[in-house]
Amino acid sequence: MQNRTTNGTEFNVTIEELNRQQVLIRLPFTILIALTMTTGFVGNILTIYVYGFRLKLSPTYFFVVMLACADLTLCVFVTPARIVQNVYPMMTIWDILCKFHLSLSVFTGLCNCGFLLAIATDRYRKVCQPLKSQITMKAAKIITACIFIFCAIQGSIAFIYYGSIKKPTKYPGIYSYSCSAKNYKKPNYYQLGFFAFYFLVAMVTFVVLVVLYTILLRHMKAMEKKTHIESQQNKEVATSIPCPDKIRQNFYNVPETVDSNQLPSNDSLDVVELSAPEMSSKVSSDEISKVNTESMAPRMTKLREADKERRAKEQADRIKRTTITMMMITVVFIVTYLPCITTLIVNAVVKSLSSVSTTAAFFYWFARHSFYISSCSNPIVYSYRNQNFIDEIKKMFGVKRK
């Protein structure tokens, strides 16, 4: 322990004690990201396995797998580096650790933006422009490659100005080592320019995502209303055709609600029409003989229309459920990521946080760590929204479905 004098006052302090004070401030968030790291590691591996190998791979599911890969990278490499920085906030002497951490943080953050934007675009075309050309698997792979290349280039820029920097503390003769920009005496314009561009890309992405999902919600609501009106009109026309009550009940008792959790995982569904023998098996031969042959034709036509309508509703419900699921993970990402990138700008402008109050420091570090929450939230959303996801996991662990 060394005696230090500041403004005529003598202090007995060491860098270890100063480091310990910072550790206590960040301790709740260190525990938080340790939990998210564990949950996200398991959850994202299961997401990659189920969506990538167990369910039929569509462009949306392919982007989900890539998103899970980015989150898994965050859990395996970025989060442990952050934990090390939280344990040694003023004694981080490993320059390569600082570069590695920020580079991968930028890379995974932009990957999340890119893949969520790709998912939103795919959902928009599928819901609002179903008759136009859709994103194919080949196009999805090309988009993925472009996202990875762009994010890797942006992440590598951090190596230019970031690292373990020696800084003076408020106690003369005592210096700290922490991950920061190369120059702490005056603003680092490379850092400010990079984070300004980073912030701009994120904000543009957020705005586009909000606009796309707003259009999607309005379109789905309008289509649902239109489908309901058409269904009521078809039912009125069908019931207006003369037919014995018992036969009408057998022919037109089509379920109106469908549990979309029990539907197949793929986004496409072929329309299969019931043949006359199949319909005949639903009623007895005595009942059929009572029906005039000429009156059967319109009833068979209406039955086929009702069957098409039912299958179209099933497909619409499935698309709607998938779209809302993707919207949920987008909302979670924006809420958790926006505070984090805001603190990056603050950290680039404010060179020292030692003078801020404990309360301000608490909220600052909470915002700084909020990004890590999104790495484990997506699998939780999938397990809540997609019954097929849960069924495949149960099957993998040998749990019988009830």
Side-chain angles (χ1 to χ4, degrees):
M1 185 176 294
Q2 304 177 25
N3 295 329
R4 306 292 177 183
T5 303
T6 302
N7 297 328
T9 304
E10 188 175 87
F11 294 92
N12 294 326
V13 67
T14 63
I15 188 63
E16 288 80 8
E17 292 176 348
L18 297 177
N19 185 83
R20 193 178 302 113
Q21 294 174 8
Q22 293 297 318
V23 170
L24 293 176
I25 294 176
R26 306 185 194 188
L27 181 60
F29 313 115
T30 304
I31 297 174
L32 173 65
I33 64 174
L35 294 175
T36 62
M37 178 182 67
T38 305
T39 307
F41 178 78
V42 176
N44 286 297
I45 288 179
L46 292 176
T47 299
I48 294 171
Y49 170 73
V50 173
Y51 280 93
F53 300 97
R54 299 301 301 174
L55 302 180
K56 184 176 180 180
L57 198 60
S58 65
T60 294
Y61 284 0
F62 181 76
F63 291 135
V64 167
V65 171
M66 293 298 103
L67 185 64
C69 289
D71 287 338
L72 185 61
T73 302
L74 184 72
C75 294
V76 174
F77 299 106
V78 181
T79 306
R82 167 50 65 186
I83 291 176
V84 172
Q85 292 182 54
N86 285 357
V87 175
Y88 300 100
M90 304 187 72
M91 301 171 64
T92 309
I93 60 175
W94 307 281
D95 188 72
I96 190 64
L97 175 69
C98 297
K99 295 178 180 294
F100 183 75
H101 170 256
L102 184 63
S103 296
L104 282 182
S105 296
V106 173
F107 173 78
T108 54
L110 290 177
C111 279
N112 274 265
C113 291
F115 289 126
L116 288 175
L117 188 58
I119 290 173
T121 303
D122 180 64
R123 302 319 301 172
Y124 172 79
R125 297 190 66 85
K126 190 173 291 294
V127 174
C128 300
Q129 300 176 340
L131 300 180
K132 294 185 178 181
S133 59
Q134 302 296 313
I135 297 178
T136 63
M137 285 301 301
K138 182 179 180 180
K141 293 177 181 179
I142 294 175
I143 293 172
T144 298
C146 293
I147 291 174
F148 277 136
I149 293 172
F150 173 79
C151 297
I153 292 174
Q154 295 302 313
S156 62
I157 297 177
F159 279 85
I160 300 175
Y161 64 85
Y162 209 72
S164 177
I165 307 301
K166 181 180 179 181
K167 297 181 180 181
T169 64
K170 63 181 179 180
Y171 302 99
I174 297 181
Y175 294 87
S176 66
Y177 290 85
S178 59
C179 295
S180 184
K182 291 291 186 182
N183 195 336
Y184 65 88
K185 294 181 179 179
K186 60 181 181 180
N188 188 320
Y189 295 104
Y190 291 105
Q191 183 190 28
L192 289 174
F194 172 73
F195 280 124
F197 174 76
Y198 186 33
F199 185 78
L200 179 63
V201 170
M203 292 306 299
V204 170
T205 302
F206 294 164
V207 171
V208 173
L209 288 171
V210 170
V211 171
L212 285 177
Y213 280 110
T214 301
I215 295 174
L216 279 167
L217 286 176
R218 294 181 62 181
H219 185 83
M220 288 189 298
K221 185 176 181 180
M223 289 301 298
E224 186 175 356
K225 183 178 181 180
K226 180 180 177 181
T227 302
H228 178 72
I229 294 174
E230 291 178 351
S231 177
Q232 293 296 326
Q233 291 175 348
N234 291 337
K235 193 170 294 185
E236 291 174 1
V237 173
T239 54
S240 65
I241 299 175
C243 183
D245 293 337
K246 187 175 182 180
I247 299 179
R248 178 184 294 141
Q249 181 180 1
N250 289 333
F251 274 106
Y252 297 105
N253 188 18
V254 179
E256 296 183 357
T257 58
V258 179
D259 185 2
S260 57
N261 281 330
Q262 305 301 326
L263 298 175
S265 59
N266 57 309
D267 284 343
S268 62
L269 186 65
D270 295 331
V271 176
V272 180
E273 297 182 354
L274 294 179
S275 62
E278 290 175 331
M279 290 188 294
S280 299
S281 62
K282 296 181 180 295
V283 294
S284 66
S285 58
D286 292 338
E287 292 172 332
I288 295 177
S289 63
K290 298 178 183 179
V291 182
N292 188 278
T293 305
E294 295 180 355
S295 64
M296 281 296 293
R299 281 194 293 274
M300 292 175 62
T301 301
K302 291 302 177 182
L303 179 58
R304 285 193 293 268
E305 291 177 356
D307 185 67
K308 288 181 181 180
E309 180 185 329
R310 178 178 61 83
R311 291 178 180 274
K313 186 177 184 302
E314 291 175 357
Q315 185 179 8
D317 288 344
R318 182 169 55 256
I319 292 176
K320 178 182 177 181
R321 190 172 185 84
T322 302
T323 302
I324 293 178
T325 301
M326 297 302 108
M327 184 181 65
M328 290 175 64
I329 67 173
T330 300
V331 170
V332 172
F333 174 73
I334 293 176
V335 170
T336 57
Y337 195 48
L338 186 58
C340 181
I341 60 175
T342 303
T343 57
L344 292 178
I345 299 295
V346 172
N347 185 56
V349 176
V350 180
K351 290 301 173 182
S352 177
L353 297 172
S354 58
S355 59
V356 301
S357 63
T358 303
T359 303
F362 180 87
F363 283 106
Y364 171 85
W365 287 112
F366 175 76
R368 190 70 179 268
H369 290 81
S370 62
F371 169 52
Y372 299 92
I373 299 175
S374 64
S375 64
C376 71
S377 61
N378 292 350
I380 296 174
V381 174
Y382 300 145
S383 63
Y384 170 71
R385 295 286 302 175
N386 193 340
Q387 186 61 42
N388 290 320
F389 182 78
I390 292 297
D391 291 341
E392 290 295 337
I393 293 177
K394 289 181 178 179
K395 187 186 300 183
M396 182 176 65
F397 289 103
V399 179
K400 293 184 178 180
R401 185 177 172 182
K402 294 182 180 180

